Amino acid sequence: MTSPICPPLRSIAAACGMALSGCAYISDGTKLGPISPSANTMKPMVEHTVGDFAFTLEGGKMVTSNLAGSLINQNVMDAWQDKGYIRDHEAVEPGEFTGKADYQLTLSGSQYGDSSIGMQILSGLTLTLIPYTVTQSYDIQYTLADVKTGKKYSGSIEESNKGYVELFMLFALPFSKQNQDAMFGRIGDHLYDQLYRQGAFQAPSAAQ
């Protein structure tokens, strides 16, 4: 029987889709470099939801595919808002856009967690004194619709990171949170930049 997940790690573990015991140190992403998207004067309101998104973790699940996708959206939208790309954002259920926002965003794609089931069992038997790793691979695809014009835009990225799960990783939680925020910040930058270059998030005259 595995030990309960430490409370400060719940949001981090959920965001990474890890069915973990003990505590985890989460590394930074490995594929996306830093970029500086073009500034915009329009600060839109965005409604976002989860479409055809699949979440898989070797050895079990802690969250559903819909929840894993919702957590990705929340992290990316928070990064957009913190960087001033958007004014605000709100999550809605699939098919329940209200039409009140400037843009409607739908996530699709997948998140896959690669981990040794044998090491997870061994780690559980030792109450996570023996560590194991979970490598997360993200395939994130966004479809964005302009509510006023009906025009649609699309963007996609791939990223991965690794989590190290062990009882005493509790002390690394601040670094894990920083790494996770930095990764989703870069994911957000790349997705925003792709959408912006297609004409999204701009006044009509600027987008032409």
Side-chain angles (χ1 to χ4, degrees):
M1 182 176 179
T2 58
S3 60
I5 194 166
C6 55
L9 181 60
R10 290 185 189 274
S11 61
I12 296 176
C16 289
M18 296 181 181
L20 305 180
S21 57
C23 294
Y25 169 74
I26 301 169
S27 69
D28 204 345
T30 60
K31 295 183 178 182
L32 298 176
I35 62 171
S36 298
S38 301
N40 73 84
T41 57
M42 181 185 184
K43 309 294 182 185
M45 168 68 183
V46 177
E47 286 186 338
H48 52 91
T49 194
V50 179
D52 185 12
F53 184 82
F55 164 67
T56 305
L57 174 66
E58 293 293 335
K61 284 189 177 183
M62 188 176 74
V63 297
T64 64
S65 293
N66 186 71
L67 178 55
S70 296
L71 289 165
I72 290 174
N73 275 348
Q74 187 68 38
N75 279 288
V76 173
M77 293 300 103
D78 284 347
W80 282 8
Q81 187 173 6
D82 289 344
K83 296 184 179 186
Y85 300 155
I86 61 175
R87 180 175 72 257
D88 201 358
H89 64 90
E90 184 175 353
V92 299
E93 293 297 319
E96 295 186 9
F97 287 121
T98 66
K100 297 178 181 179
D102 300 296
Y103 287 91
Q104 299 170 343
L105 184 146
T106 302
L107 167 71
S108 60
S110 64
Q111 178 181 347
Y112 176 74
D114 184 18
S115 181
S116 167
I117 298 176
M119 286 303 299
Q120 290 184 42
I121 294 173
L122 181 60
S123 180
L125 291 174
T126 63
L127 300 180
T128 67
L129 287 173
I130 296 178
Y132 67 93
T133 63
V134 180
T135 299
Q136 297 286 336
S137 296
Y138 301 89
D139 178 6
I140 299 175
Q141 301 161 24
Y142 271 165
T143 300
L144 184 74
D146 186 318
V147 174
K148 289 184 178 179
T149 67
K151 187 172 182 179
K152 293 186 178 181
Y153 312 88
S154 62
S156 63
I157 63 93
E158 292 183 359
E159 180 59 291
S160 64
N161 68 351
K162 181 176 287 188
Y164 301 83
V165 186
E166 196 260 345
L167 181 62
F168 297 106
M169 288 294 180
L170 169 66
F171 304 105
L173 282 176
F175 302 102
S176 298
K177 183 65 166 60
Q178 290 176 10
N179 286 345
Q180 178 178 268
D181 289 347
M183 182 188 74
F184 279 109
R186 288 197 305 276
I187 287 174
D189 285 344
H190 280 265
L191 288 167
Y192 177 86
D193 186 63
Q194 291 176 29
L195 297 167
Y196 182 87
R197 289 177 181 274
Q198 296 169 45
F201 307 122
Q202 302 178 52
S205 58
Q208 292 176 357

